[in-house]
Amino acid sequence: PSHAAPLEPRATHTHTHPPARRPTGLPSPPGPQKRGDRRDAPVAGRRRQPTRARPRELARGKEVSPCPMWLLAAFAALLSSRLTLSSCLGAGRANLTLYHVNPGNYTGIADMDLGDEPGDAFFTARNLGLPMLCRDEGSNTTEGRAMCSNPEVVSRDLVVSRIVLEASTDFGPYGYCDICTNGTYPGTQHLLHPMNCTNGEYVCLCKIPRGFEPCEEERVGHRDVAATHPFPPSGSHPYFFWQANLAEKMGGFWFTPFRKGENVTWRLVETQGVANATCQKELMLGAITQKDPSCFGQCPQPRNISSDCYIRCVYRVLLGDKAATAKSIDEGLPGKEITQLWSDAYAKCLFS
């Protein structure tokens, strides 16, 4: 997804996102043995046994070591985040099943933002409230400026691709990647000196202590959805409370395979499917509407998905009534059920 340019809830209440980090619980690779390590020392009175050759296997014509124990432990930790580690490809490498939303005329994944299943479902669910935000204060907030004209949100030919990414698990900083519009990096148009780029190209910004700069990274970027979408100050627009509550409920991770790292830290293994994003959104909304038809029926325009009344009903179903103004993760649907609504709609909208 364009998991969207430099996102701050509002200009007057700036929230600093923590730097991208590795998934919680991911063990560090074992360091090299030091000279004199007890594992290397001979046992008195006993002949040292010859070292048994470790089994090896072939992958893509090259010898690689079988999965070490630390990587298997990492797999167990990653299961809770619903990352898919489908095969072991040597120390510190994994296959990740990810999704990306983009206009249908773009191909590849370099310099694009992708999400695992709950991460991309969160991206779709939070965007359901954008029409309301953009009407109320779109040009007055950083997120509004970045998202309300974002081609990955407003284009009419959006598709959702499911891909398998082989990547090093030594993740780097996340890249805020979007399509260049009007010759400037999305989200920088309001700056005194906007950053220039070529129209139509995907461009990425990385966070630095004093703002953002074009990314110069080889490592795959990584972002924890729940940890980097904090709750806004009291009195903020409902959109920002809905966004934070969804992030807390759904979790997930976002990734950036930077162009500089292609075939170095990552490679595209395969594209498993492409779905019509408009179809997916409509089916997801249809399922949400069926869960509280009386709320939607009271709206002046019950089928106008961009009206304030309709949007408030959507988040009432997903998050409960309190979520528009406060933290409220115990009402509404469980995070896994929201993700399942997204997944079910995706499966029905795949192109044949």
Side-chain angles (χ1 to χ4, degrees):
S2 142
H3 294 135
L7 304 184
E8 321 281 345
R10 55 171 67 227
T12 55
H13 299 282
T14 302
H15 293 263
T16 303
H17 299 304
R21 63 183 189 181
R22 297 170 59 148
T24 303
L26 187 62
S28 300
Q33 295 182 18
K34 298 180 180 179
R35 186 179 298 275
D37 189 302
R38 291 188 61 181
R39 290 172 291 183
D40 293 331
V43 180
R46 184 184 302 171
R47 293 183 61 187
R48 183 166 183 169
Q49 298 297 318
T51 302
R52 179 178 297 177
R54 297 181 65 185
R56 306 184 75 82
E57 57 188 32
L58 295 178
R60 302 187 306 281
K62 296 181 180 180
E63 284 193 338
V64 295
S65 299
C67 294
M69 290 303 296
W70 74 266
L71 184 57
L72 296 177
F75 173 48
L78 291 175
L79 279 178
S80 63
S81 71
R82 300 186 69 175
L83 284 174
T84 304
L85 178 55
S86 60
S87 66
C88 299
L89 302 164
R93 296 186 75 82
N95 274 9
L96 309 175
T97 299
L98 304 174
Y99 298 81
H100 180 251
V101 181
N102 57 270
N105 59 321
Y106 287 84
T107 58
I109 59 171
D111 285 346
M112 298 183 183
D113 291 325
L114 301 89
D116 60 10
E117 190 175 45
D120 223 53
F122 161 80
F123 179 73
T124 299
R126 69 134 186 216
N127 287 349
L128 298 176
L130 271 177
M132 184 173 169
L133 173 70
C134 295
R135 269 194 307 272
D136 293 346
E137 49 184 78
S139 61
N140 298 323
T141 63
T142 303
E143 181 143 357
R145 287 188 290 264
M147 295 292 289
C148 294
S149 59
N150 184 348
E152 292 192 339
V153 176
V154 301
S155 294
R156 301 193 176 201
D157 63 339
L158 292 175
V159 297
V160 186
S161 301
R162 181 174 61 213
I163 62 95
V164 176
L165 178 77
E166 177 194 323
S168 165
T169 54
D170 178 23
F171 298 123
Y174 179 76
Y176 297 85
C177 302
D178 290 289
I179 298 172
C180 177
T181 54
N182 299 321
T184 58
Y185 278 72
T188 71
Q189 301 94 329
H190 64 291
L191 300 178
L192 181 61
H193 301 289
M195 300 181 189
N196 297 327
C197 55
T198 302
N199 277 340
E201 290 187 357
Y202 268 88
V203 291
C204 302
L205 294 177
C206 285
K207 196 167 182 62
I208 59 176
R210 294 188 177 182
F212 293 84
E213 67 178 7
C215 299
E216 294 291 339
E217 264 289 338
E218 287 189 353
R219 293 175 298 168
V220 173
H222 171 265
R223 184 179 181 188
D224 183 324
V225 169
T228 56
H229 288 86
F231 283 87
S234 177
S236 296
H237 193 277
Y239 173 87
F240 297 112
F241 282 101
W242 293 327
Q243 173 179 261
N245 279 297
L246 284 169
E248 189 83 8
K249 268 194 175 190
M250 301 176 70
F253 296 94
W254 290 347
F255 300 84
T256 312
F258 294 107
R259 190 173 300 280
K260 287 187 67 173
E262 188 168 6
N263 296 320
V264 179
T265 61
W266 67 271
R267 73 180 182 94
L268 176 61
V269 177
E270 64 173 328
T271 298
Q272 295 184 328
V274 180
N276 183 312
T278 301
C279 167
Q280 183 189 26
K281 177 181 175 181
E282 290 175 349
L283 288 182
M284 186 175 178
L285 285 173
I288 293 171
T289 302
Q290 292 175 9
K291 293 185 178 296
D292 190 357
S294 62
C295 181
F296 294 94
Q298 294 174 10
C299 293
Q301 297 174 297
R303 297 186 179 182
N304 182 357
I305 65 174
S306 65
S307 72
D308 286 7
C309 181
Y310 188 98
I311 290 171
R312 287 184 179 276
C313 287
V314 166
Y315 289 114
R316 176 182 175 180
V317 171
L318 298 181
L319 302 169
D321 289 323
K322 298 178 183 177
T325 56
K327 181 175 181 177
S328 178
I329 59 174
D330 297 325
E331 297 183 3
L333 302 181
K336 289 185 178 179
E337 187 172 344
I338 300 173
T339 299
Q340 193 61 52
L341 290 176
W342 182 91
S343 301
D344 291 345
Y346 178 87
K348 294 176 182 177
C349 295
L350 287 167
F351 292 109
S352 56

